């Protein structure tokens, strides 16, 4: 038996009104009397009428859906960004469709093209660690798909971008380790090509320079997949340990939490001897052992800002030609190493 939902025609037939009058009443149009609006709304609620989104999208040439691409939903940072996006999108009448790249350029491109084929109204994207070629995004953008980047952003793309103050967060974390008396400070970071990798590396270097500590390239270890593959993280830790780091600044959420497992698997005796400070939005930082001084990004706010900028692009009556790069401040939460 096929399930059939009530339609405008059903309401019009039951109330002896035209379908156009019913449609205008449900949209609260000024030309319909308040009395008629009330009659229509009461009956629509009684029969549990819901507007047909497909009919609406065909009429208005919009799907009222927005695509989101992140590397991994389980990542604390990205899950909080998504919460921020949803907090505004649904209030504005938009649904969100979330896809994961798993740090794969091939999967990222496949997901974006699939979303575009489903006629999304706009795209929010944080690039995968493998992504170096964004020509496919430029082609979709040139065809009229609004795109806003967040967190991991390209240099050569004229659109809105929302990022954290990565260099300052990295500076603060590295300086915390220096103030704790550490002189040999390593840096564990993401793929070398990513925008936030470059910015956090620069903040690390600036903090060392500010305290007259020479930069040593061998103390920087890049993880091409951001710690998503445990073996690349364990390899990086094994390469760092012979250099006898006293502290490590770690550049992203998964690397920060993954390092703790890696050091315990590699050399548990050193786990509490090397102080760590790193980017993470985990709500369980207090339970980490060894303890961690964390740099928190305003992830929820980042999501809200990104979706607001995207909706402005979608609903603009004329093509948007002026763009913003919004930089949001990070917060450092200091903890003593136990």
């Amino acid at each position: 038996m096929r399930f059939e939902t009530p339609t405008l025609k059903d309401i019009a037939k039951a109330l002896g009104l035209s379908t156009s009058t019913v449609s205008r009443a449900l949209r609260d149009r000024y030309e319909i009397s308040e009395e008629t609006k009330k009659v229509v709304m009461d009956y629509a609620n009684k029969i549990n009428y819901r507007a047909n989104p497909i009919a609406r999208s065909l009429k208005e040439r919009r799907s009222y859906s927005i695509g989101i691409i992140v590397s991994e939903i389980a990542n604390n940072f990205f899950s909080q960004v998504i919460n921020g996006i949803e907090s505004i999108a649904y209030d504005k009448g938009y649904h969100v469709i979330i896809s994961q790249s798993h740090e794969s350029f091939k999967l990222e491109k496949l997901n974006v093209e699939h979303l575009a084929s489903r006629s999304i109204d706009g795209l929010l994207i944080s690039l995968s660690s493998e992504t170096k070629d964004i020509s496919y995004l430029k082609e979709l953008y040139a065809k009229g798909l609004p795109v806003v980047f967040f967190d991991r952003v390209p240099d050569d793309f004229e659109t809105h971008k929302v990022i954290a103050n990565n260099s300052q967060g990295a500076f603060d974390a590295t300086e915390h380790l220096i103030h704790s008396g550490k002189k040999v400070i390593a840096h564990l970071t993401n793929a070398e090509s990513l925008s936030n990798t470059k910015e956090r590396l620069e903040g690390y270097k600036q903090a060392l320079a500010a305290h007259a500590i020479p930069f040593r390239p061998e103390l920087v270890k890049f993880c091409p997949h951001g710690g998503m593959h445990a073996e690349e993280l364990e390899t990086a830790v094994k390469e760092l340990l012979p250099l006898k780091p006293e502290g490590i600044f770690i550049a992203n959420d998964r690397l920060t939490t993954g390092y703790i497992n890696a050091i315990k698997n590699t050399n548990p005796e050193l786990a509490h001897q090397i102080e760590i400070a790193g980017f993470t939005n985990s709500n369980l930082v207090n339970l980490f052992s060894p303890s961690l001084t964390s740099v928190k990004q305003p992830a929820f706010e980042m999501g809200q800002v990104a979706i607001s900028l995207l909706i402005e692009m979608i609903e603009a009556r004329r093509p948007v030609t002026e763009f913003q790069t919004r930089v949001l401040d990070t917060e450092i939460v200091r903890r003593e190493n136990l």
Side-chain angles (χ1 to χ4, degrees):
M1 181 177 178
R2 184 183 176 188
F3 174 71
E4 295 185 0
T5 58
T7 67
L8 289 176
K9 288 183 179 180
D10 294 331
I11 299 174
K13 182 178 180 180
L15 299 178
L17 299 171
S18 68
T19 54
S20 61
T21 297
V22 171
S23 175
R24 292 189 181 105
L26 290 171
R27 288 182 287 135
D28 197 25
R29 293 289 296 270
Y30 69 91
E31 64 265 35
I32 306 299
S33 70
E34 293 302 319
E35 181 181 357
T36 300
K37 288 179 187 176
K38 185 177 187 310
V39 170
V40 172
M41 289 299 298
D42 287 348
Y43 187 76
N45 290 332
K46 179 181 176 181
I47 65 172
N48 199 30
Y49 168 79
R50 295 291 182 272
N52 185 331
I54 297 175
R56 182 188 181 195
S57 65
L58 289 172
K59 182 178 179 180
E60 300 185 18
R61 296 184 179 180
R62 286 169 59 185
S63 65
Y64 289 90
S65 60
I66 287 168
I68 304 173
I69 303 288
V70 297
S71 63
E72 183 186 30
I73 296 172
N75 183 299
N76 293 293
F77 167 73
F78 286 120
S79 67
Q80 291 166 27
V81 171
I82 291 168
N83 287 342
I85 292 168
E86 291 179 331
S87 73
I88 288 182
Y90 292 126
D91 284 345
K92 296 288 187 179
Y94 291 87
H95 290 273
V96 299
I97 306 171
I98 305 165
S99 293
Q100 303 177 88
S101 70
H102 295 290
E103 304 292 12
S104 163
F105 168 71
K106 181 179 179 180
L107 192 54
E108 172 191 284
K109 185 173 182 287
L110 184 68
N111 285 333
V112 169
E113 290 176 343
H114 175 73
L115 289 170
S117 73
R118 307 295 292 180
S119 300
I120 56 171
D121 292 332
L123 177 70
L124 294 169
I125 179 169
S126 179
L127 297 173
S128 82
S129 61
E130 288 185 353
T131 301
K132 296 179 178 64
D133 178 11
I134 58 169
S135 59
Y136 81 99
L137 286 167
K138 290 182 176 180
E139 289 173 8
L140 290 171
Y141 187 71
K143 291 177 181 177
L145 177 67
V147 178
V148 170
F149 293 93
F150 65 94
D151 183 45
R152 304 164 171 190
V153 305
D155 292 328
D156 56 338
F157 201 119
E158 287 295 314
T159 189
H160 295 305
K161 302 167 188 177
V162 186
I163 61 174
N165 193 335
N166 292 301
S167 59
Q168 186 62 54
F171 184 98
D172 292 341
T174 306
E175 189 172 61
H176 166 79
L177 295 172
I178 295 169
H179 286 162
S180 298
K182 313 306 177 187
K183 298 295 184 183
V184 182
I185 300 172
H187 180 33
L188 191 58
T189 189
N190 210 327
E192 196 168 358
S193 60
L194 289 174
S195 60
N196 55 12
T197 297
K198 297 173 184 176
E199 291 162 0
R200 292 169 190 178
L201 177 59
E202 186 58 31
Y204 163 77
K205 289 180 177 180
Q206 289 174 354
L208 295 178
H211 294 272
I213 298 175
F215 169 66
R216 295 169 54 187
E218 68 272 20
L219 286 170
V220 178
K221 297 298 176 184
F222 296 97
C223 293
H225 295 90
M228 187 166 285
H229 300 162
E231 59 272 16
E232 73 176 7
L233 186 51
E234 291 194 3
T235 297
V237 171
K238 288 177 181 177
E239 291 175 353
L240 281 177
L241 293 184
L243 302 175
K244 299 182 178 180
E246 300 167 346
I248 303 180
F249 162 53
I250 311 175
N252 77 26
D253 210 304
R254 175 172 278 278
L255 285 174
T256 299
T257 53
Y259 162 81
I260 294 175
N261 288 327
I263 188 67
K264 287 180 178 179
N265 292 336
T266 304
N267 193 326
E269 293 180 2
L270 288 177
H272 290 274
Q273 296 177 29
I274 302 173
E275 187 169 350
I276 54 176
F279 277 75
T280 180
N281 275 52
S282 173
N283 295 320
L284 303 175
V285 172
N286 288 330
L287 302 179
F288 288 2
S289 178
S291 63
L292 165 73
T293 286
S294 59
V295 178
K296 296 188 69 174
Q297 299 181 77
F300 188 86
E301 182 185 357
M302 188 178 289
Q304 289 187 315
V305 173
I307 185 63
S308 297
L309 291 171
L310 182 62
I311 290 174
E312 286 178 12
M313 291 179 71
I314 292 168
E315 298 183 350
R317 295 183 179 276
R318 295 184 178 86
V320 178
T321 57
E322 295 184 3
F323 302 104
Q324 306 175 42
T325 296
R326 297 283 294 275
V327 182
L328 308 181
D329 289 335
T330 58
E331 174 190 5
I332 185 166
V333 181
R334 295 175 174 82
R335 293 178 178 86
E336 294 300 323
N337 199 31
L338 300 176

